[in-house]
Amino acid sequence: MGDYESGTAIFLSIIVGFILLFFIDGLFVYTFTGFLAAYLTRAEVRSAGGGAAASLILAVISFSSGMIFGPQMPGRIAGLAAPDIFTFTTGLVIIGGLSLLLGGIGGYIAVKAFRE
């Protein structure tokens, strides 16, 4: 078990999660990030909320990097596509809620599995 403060544990788990996003599907990575953030935190301050926060931050970073590096589209289709704020907001809210849920589940598993 780690002996880090919650901020450091969240930061380290986000770095590991961002690296894992290149190799594994995002849903598992969000759960693992939440688990890792709770696992690395000191036992007396360990909670599922830290895992949920780490997973949410990773999801927002992943969502915004997906907006910067968008998919490759042919020129005709890209010319027809226009920014849609409703779809953007809905996608951000859905990925945020899903990552909070999965990170909280991962953090809860770590709290229950490694309690002292």
Side-chain angles (χ1 to χ4, degrees), residues 56-93:
L56 177 65
I57 294 169
L58 178 65
V60 169
I61 291 171
S62 172
F63 188 81
S64 28
S65 69
M67 298 301 293
I68 294 171
F69 304 110
Q72 296 293 325
M73 294 188 285
R76 287 181 56 193
I77 296 174
L80 295 174
D84 184 15
I85 192 68
F86 178 74
T87 306
F88 173 79
T89 306
T90 305
L92 186 61
V93 167

Side-chain angles (χ1 to χ4, degrees), residues 5-110:
E5 294 290 328
S6 60
T8 307
I10 289 172
F11 182 71
L12 291 173
S13 65
I14 288 171
I15 291 173
V16 170
F18 194 71
I19 292 169
L20 284 176
L21 277 175
F22 290 112
F23 303 110
I24 304 172
D25 185 30
L27 295 178
F28 173 74
V29 172
Y30 296 143
T31 306
F32 181 74
T33 302
F35 176 84
L36 189 62
Y39 176 75
L40 292 176
T41 307
R42 290 186 180 151
E44 55 271 1
V45 293
R46 184 177 297 144
S47 71
S55 181
L56 177 65
I57 294 169
L58 178 65
V60 169
I61 291 171
S62 172
F63 188 81
S64 28
S65 69
M67 298 301 293
I68 294 171
F69 304 110
Q72 296 293 325
M73 294 188 285
R76 287 181 56 193
I77 296 174
L80 295 174
D84 184 15
I85 192 68
F86 178 74
T87 306
F88 173 79
T89 306
T90 305
L92 186 61
V93 167
I94 289 173
I95 194 70
L98 188 62
S99 68
L100 269 174
L101 177 71
L102 292 173
I105 289 171
Y108 180 77
I109 290 170

